[in-house]
Amino acid sequence: MRLVSYATSEGPRAGVMRDGRVFAVAEAPAGGLGALLEAGGLASVEAGDEVPGAELLVPIERPGKILCIGLNYRAHADEAGRESAELPTYFAKFATSLRPDGATVELPRWSSKVDYEAEVAFVIGDRCKDVPAAQALDHIAGYTLLNDLSARDYQFKTPQWMPGKSFDGAAPCGPTLVTSDEAGPPDSIGIALDLNGERMQESSTADLIHSIPRLVEYLSMLMTLEPGDIVATGTPEGVGSLRDPKVWLKAGDEVVVSSPQLGELRTTLA
């Protein structure tokens, strides 16, 4: 299934997308997909009435956590001149960074070096702790796309990266949550990024250093994972900051993150 959160006059609601059309989830609790996951998951989801002209929101509007993995593609670690890390490197973004498909993101006035990062993200389906890698997929509700926009000048002003990672709009996400049965094996999800129509990144999760099951195992050892938590798995090679000449985002740019399994996430910069 492809699931969405969409706007109504009474707040977000959960929907099912089929052939580009949105249908309300029958007997869903008030709220979007996050509320649906909190209420017990996706096992009994059924499509109800069609919602013509539905305005899509980010799949999970107010996640408890947005965890992002750094330097997790082998080719990206190579282009950065870094060895593969024994343990995953992670940092956080916040709900104020989220923006839906088609949004315009205002570049922060205090940075002149904002970069793009195409990422496959997964969403936790239930509360879990100390999950073995062999059981990790049982706790994933599905997959979506995320663009880890990064103000590189502020990312590296301090030893930890979050000052450059958490500005408003720094995490465009969506458009849908694709359940695991439709997304396919977690080690073969394609990911690409086009900037103004030019292909800048292209890879698949086959190149991950730390696999998706391994990430669930590691993160759930460190903390309790909860329904709706988002984990972005890292970006492939081709980021603007490591190109020659360097490529920084500017007002008017259009960035499209795409995946054969997960669709397209479009963002315009202003």
Side-chain angles (χ1 to χ4, degrees), residues 170-184:
C173 183
T176 64
L177 178 68
V178 182
T179 54
S180 300
D181 57 334
E182 186 158 340

Side-chain angles (χ1 to χ4, degrees), residues 19-38:
D19 299 322
R21 300 157 63 195
V22 175
F23 300 82
V25 171
E27 300 182 5
L33 288 179
L36 190 62
L37 291 173
E38 286 280 0

Side-chain angles (χ1 to χ4, degrees), residues 69-95:
I69 308 302
L71 295 169
N72 196 32
Y73 278 76
R74 292 178 181 85
H76 178 46
D78 289 345
E79 73 173 346
R82 301 281 292 273
E83 294 184 3
S84 298
E86 180 181 353
L87 294 175
T89 296
Y90 82 92
F91 56 92
K93 286 180 179 270
F94 304 100

Side-chain angles (χ1 to χ4, degrees), residues 195-207:
L195 174 60
N196 300 324
E198 180 181 354
R199 181 60 49 95
M200 308 296 279
Q201 294 181 281
E202 188 167 16
S203 188
S204 83
T205 52
D207 193 43

Side-chain angles (χ1 to χ4, degrees), residues 1-17:
M1 287 187 296
R2 293 178 183 267
L3 301 169
V4 298
S5 292
Y6 64 93
T8 76
S9 60
E10 298 177 341
R13 292 293 183 268
V16 178
M17 179 175 281

Side-chain angles (χ1 to χ4, degrees), residues 65-185:
K65 308 179 194 67
I66 305 172
L67 302 172
C68 302
I69 308 302
L71 295 169
N72 196 32
Y73 278 76
R74 292 178 181 85
H76 178 46
D78 289 345
E79 73 173 346
R82 301 281 292 273
E83 294 184 3
S84 298
E86 180 181 353
L87 294 175
T89 296
Y90 82 92
F91 56 92
K93 286 180 179 270
F94 304 100
T96 47
S97 295
L98 290 170
R99 293 294 184 274
D101 175 46
T104 296
V105 171
E106 185 174 347
L107 294 166
R109 67 182 186 279
W110 38 264
S111 174
S112 60
K113 296 180 179 180
V114 176
D115 203 353
Y116 52 81
E117 290 192 17
E119 310 219 4
V120 172
F122 61 86
V123 175
I124 296 297
D126 58 2
R127 196 170 192 270
C128 57
K129 182 76 170 69
D130 296 322
V131 177
Q135 299 172 15
L137 300 185
D138 296 337
H139 300 279
I140 293 177
Y143 301 85
T144 191
L145 296 172
L146 188 141
N147 190 349
D148 174 19
L149 295 175
S150 305
R152 300 296 191 195
D153 39 3
Y154 276 76
Q155 177 181 347
F156 297 113
K157 281 183 181 291
T158 64
Q160 51 84 22
W161 298 348
M162 284 175 59
K165 294 285 192 174
S166 53
F167 61 86
D168 291 350
C173 183
T176 64
L177 178 68
V178 182
T179 54
S180 300
D181 57 334
E182 186 158 340

